[in-house]
Amino acid sequence: IQAMAMFSVNGDSSFTPVLSLSSSILTSAFISAQLSYEWDASEQQRVEEPVFYGYLPKSLKWSAFALFNLLLISIFNLILRTSALVILSQKSAYTTMAVFGGELALFFVVKIARGDFTSWVPIAGCPGVIASFTMRLFIKVAVDWTACAQFRHQQEVGGLYWSFTMIVTCVIAIASALAQRNDMVILCTVGACAGLLVSFVLFLASIRRDYIATFYDTRTATQHNAKRFFDATNDQMKFEIIGVNEVLWRDIRGDVKSWLEERLPSWLEEQPTWLTAYKRSLVPDWAIDDKSLLSRIRNDAVEAL
């Protein structure tokens, strides 16, 4: 709405809508960049999932440079998406819905075809399907418009699809600019596309090399959780997968069951600080054949609450 308000019938623009739109873009980009930065800098996230979190370098200078490029990526992405939306909507509402709706449809087709539709939200049955669709839609739209790096996680859009979305953004923006047949619009669009891609390359150059692969990772959430479980170096890291939807670790249910039955007695004696009442409540009933052991887990969780 703000972008459309910038243009009058004869194509002129006033200062107020431009200022308002610029403010919105900068605010949205800052929130996106800051979200990714804070999640990666979180000590808790780095402990629980070190293969994904930790791409920010230890050097304050390079961390600031990475954050700056995250900000630029979001800014250029928002500019390109906004300009494409305005141009297409002026041409035809049906074209606009076909382009942006088709992009969303492609995402869901890919997710379903790969057996990766289910979201990490631990809700089963029909409500779980609704929750998964809602979460997938919300995250995909957020990635489309802000390119938030946090959502490249395998349980969200995935690394490769996150990077692919930036290419799609450039293609949509350039195609829309060409349809406008305005040399200045085309030049600005190409410049913004170049800015987006250069910012992305500079961002990759500024982060720790071990984490570059997370930006083109092709694994599904199920594959990710299996690897996360078997590669974990301690019980706390292994336990984290139990907090996500069981569908996303159904292939290793037997391994999880064996591990829980082996380790739970020790945990009840040692009372590790990470095994909170909430986490004890996450232990599924089917995973514990020993009813007395299960009863102790449940009673301890209730008492702790």
Side-chain angles (χ1 to χ4, degrees):
I1 295 174
Q2 289 175 316
M4 293 178 182
M6 287 176 56
F7 302 95
S8 61
V9 176
N10 60 7
D12 295 331
S13 62
S14 62
F15 178 74
T16 301
V18 172
L19 181 62
S20 178
L21 179 62
S22 299
S23 176
S24 295
I25 287 177
L26 287 173
T27 300
S28 299
F30 178 79
I31 293 173
S32 171
Q34 188 66 18
L35 174 67
S36 297
Y37 185 92
E38 289 186 355
W39 272 75
D40 187 78
S42 167
E43 289 298 328
Q44 179 180 350
Q45 297 300 331
R46 291 188 175 200
V47 168
E48 293 178 353
E49 201 166 352
V51 296
F52 184 81
Y53 296 105
Y55 61 79
L56 290 172
K58 294 181 179 180
S59 168
L60 181 60
K61 178 180 68 176
W62 283 108
S63 289
F65 186 64
L67 175 60
F68 177 68
N69 280 292
L70 281 175
L71 180 64
L72 288 181
I73 289 170
S74 289
I75 289 174
F76 284 124
N77 203 84
L78 282 161
I79 290 173
L80 290 168
R81 286 272 171 176
T82 302
S83 63
L85 177 62
V86 171
I87 292 172
L88 290 175
S89 62
Q90 290 177 338
K91 297 291 182 180
S92 167
Y94 293 107
T95 302
T96 305
M97 289 188 289
V99 171
F100 290 98
E103 184 185 9
L104 288 172
L106 174 63
F107 171 72
F108 278 104
V109 167
V110 171
K111 281 293 185 183
I112 293 172
R114 301 190 70 204
D116 200 28
F117 170 77
T118 303
S119 172
W120 60 268
V121 180
I123 303 176
C126 186
V129 174
I130 296 174
S132 292
F133 175 79
T134 303
M135 286 291 294
R136 293 296 188 200
L137 179 63
F138 174 80
I139 297 299
K140 180 62 170 69
V141 171
V143 169
D144 285 347
W145 288 84
T146 68
C148 182
Q150 164 63 22
F151 298 139
R152 79 191 190 285
H153 197 284
Q154 294 88 348
Q155 292 183 157
E156 304 296 356
V157 300
L160 182 61
Y161 208 98
W162 183 88
S163 299
F164 170 70
T165 299
M166 282 196 291
I167 303 298
V168 173
T169 295
C170 291
V171 170
I172 292 175
I174 291 175
S176 302
L178 291 173
Q180 186 75 352
R181 297 180 180 178
N182 183 305
D183 291 342
M184 182 57 68
V185 171
I186 294 174
L187 181 62
C188 291
T189 300
V190 172
C193 288
L196 174 62
L197 297 178
V198 169
S199 298
F200 182 47
V201 171
L202 290 176
F203 169 73
L204 293 180
S206 68
I207 66 175
R208 296 171 62 184
R209 299 292 181 268
D210 295 345
Y211 293 87
I212 292 179
T214 64
F215 289 86
Y216 58 83
D217 197 333
T218 60
R219 286 176 297 166
T220 64
T222 301
Q223 294 168 337
H224 164 73
N225 282 315
K227 181 174 176 57
R228 182 181 177 187
F229 178 80
F230 291 118
D231 289 353
T233 57
N234 56 59
D235 288 338
Q236 181 180 359
M237 292 170 62
K238 284 180 179 289
F239 197 93
E240 290 305 313
I241 73 161
I242 298 180
V244 303
N245 196 309
E246 284 189 28
V247 173
L248 301 183
W249 46 278
R250 60 182 180 275
D251 294 343
I252 58 171
R253 279 170 58 110
D255 298 282
V256 173
K257 175 181 172 64
S258 299
W259 168 69
L260 284 174
E261 290 188 322
E262 176 187 350
R263 298 299 300 147
L264 275 173
S266 298
W267 295 341
L268 289 174
E269 295 299 326
E270 299 168 3
Q271 294 294 318
T273 56
W274 61 265
L275 190 64
T276 62
Y278 169 70
K279 288 189 175 181
R280 286 197 288 269
S281 70
L282 295 177
V283 176
D285 291 349
W286 57 261
I288 310 298
D289 291 332
D290 187 335
K291 300 306 179 183
S292 62
L293 182 61
L294 180 61
S295 178
R296 287 182 62 191
I297 286 290
R298 294 290 180 256
N299 290 337
D300 283 356
V302 172
E303 290 175 5
L305 292 173

